Amino acid sequence: MKKIFTYALVMMMSMMSMTTLTSCNTEDEIIADYLTTGDWEGYLGAYVTNRWGEAFSDGQYMTVWHFDAEGYSNGRAVWGYGEEVDYNRYSRRDAAYSTFRWEVRNGNIYIEYDASGWAPVRIDYYDYKISRSRFSGVMYDWADRIYEFDLTNTYFNWGPYANGYWARTRGADGTDAEGVPVVVLDDGKCVLRGKFAEEYLKNTSFACMRR
């Protein structure tokens, strides 16, 4: 009887270890699964101002992230590609767009932009909460500046951004089909429109060229 009890105890401990191990291995996949459920839209605190400058400090600018799955572990995503747009909530003519690469590693979320001047960010495991409807917490940029964010899962019309519509319709005078100024950088990985483009043209160290 003692042998049976000991064997059962060993088996139970073994199963508990396996469960713990599996949980650790699948944590990244669960987080990535949430990330890729839709578009994440909301405010990122001082993030937009610190990236673009004081001309964007009036609190009117929102950010949208979209995560696409590319790399998988056990059949579930752990990394991929995505896109971001910062825009004026009262005027969609003012917007800035970039593609990025993302990865979930040990519960931490890393975002590295394809645009040369958009500094990478990280979101540490203990600093955020995520569900299928809400994504909130704090993130850090390359200078370890802290930004609060609170995003909701929504549907965003990426048409003019993701397909390079503004870039394709930009004329020789540097404006698009609506006569709004457009700047295209990094082979279309970074597109600035309206106020963002105007600020860039005033000072080329601004935006995509700034670290």
Side-chain angles (χ1 to χ4, degrees):
M1 183 70 178
K2 183 178 179 180
K3 287 184 178 180
I4 294 173
F5 176 77
T6 302
Y7 176 75
L9 182 62
V10 170
M11 287 296 293
M12 184 175 68
M13 292 178 66
S14 177
M15 290 177 67
M16 288 175 64
S17 297
M18 288 179 64
T19 302
T20 302
L21 181 61
T22 302
S23 176
C24 289
N25 286 341
T26 59
E27 186 91 33
D28 291 352
E29 300 161 21
I30 293 170
I31 294 167
D33 186 52
Y34 283 138
L35 285 176
T36 55
T37 56
D39 302 317
W40 296 99
E41 182 176 21
Y43 292 98
L44 273 68
Y47 177 68
V48 172
T49 304
N50 282 344
R51 170 183 282 171
W52 303 109
E54 286 302 315
F56 299 86
S57 62
D58 52 19
Q60 296 183 15
Y61 293 87
M62 300 182 72
T63 297
V64 187
W65 280 335
H66 179 81
F67 298 83
D68 282 321
E70 293 289 337
Y72 295 84
S73 171
N74 299 320
R76 302 179 75 178
V78 290
W79 64 269
Y81 297 94
E83 51 197 342
E84 174 184 322
V85 63
D86 301 333
Y87 71 92
N88 185 335
R89 60 180 301 193
Y90 300 113
S91 174
R92 294 296 179 96
R93 60 168 277 154
D94 300 326
Y97 168 88
S98 177
T99 54
F100 60 76
R101 288 160 285 168
W102 64 271
E103 179 183 4
V104 181
R105 189 168 67 249
N106 297 323
N108 303 322
I109 301 169
Y110 300 90
I111 298 176
E112 183 174 346
Y113 295 95
D114 295 318
S116 60
W118 291 38
V121 297
R122 76 178 193 277
I123 308 171
D124 294 342
Y125 180 65
Y126 294 106
D127 289 336
Y128 69 91
K129 295 179 180 179
I130 189 169
S131 67
R132 295 203 180 277
S133 59
R134 190 175 180 186
F135 183 23
S136 62
V138 297
M139 68 179 185
Y140 306 84
D141 68 7
W142 62 283
D144 275 344
R145 289 177 294 199
I146 302 175
Y147 306 101
E148 294 183 2
F149 65 91
D150 192 358
L151 312 176
T152 56
N153 196 321
T154 185
Y155 172 79
F156 186 76
N157 179 17
W158 290 92
Y161 310 93
N163 300 320
Y165 173 78
W166 291 336
R168 292 198 310 272
T169 61
R170 185 181 58 161
D173 63 351
T175 64
D176 64 12
E178 298 178 23
V180 180
V182 174
V183 172
V184 180
L185 300 167
D186 296 309
D187 297 324
K189 295 174 182 176
C190 177
V191 181
L192 310 176
R193 186 177 190 251
K195 184 175 179 179
F196 291 89
E198 291 167 359
E199 290 297 319
Y200 175 82
L201 293 171
K202 290 179 187 176
N203 179 6
T204 56
S205 66
F206 163 82
C208 292
M209 302 300 289
R210 186 180 67 187
R211 280 284 181 182

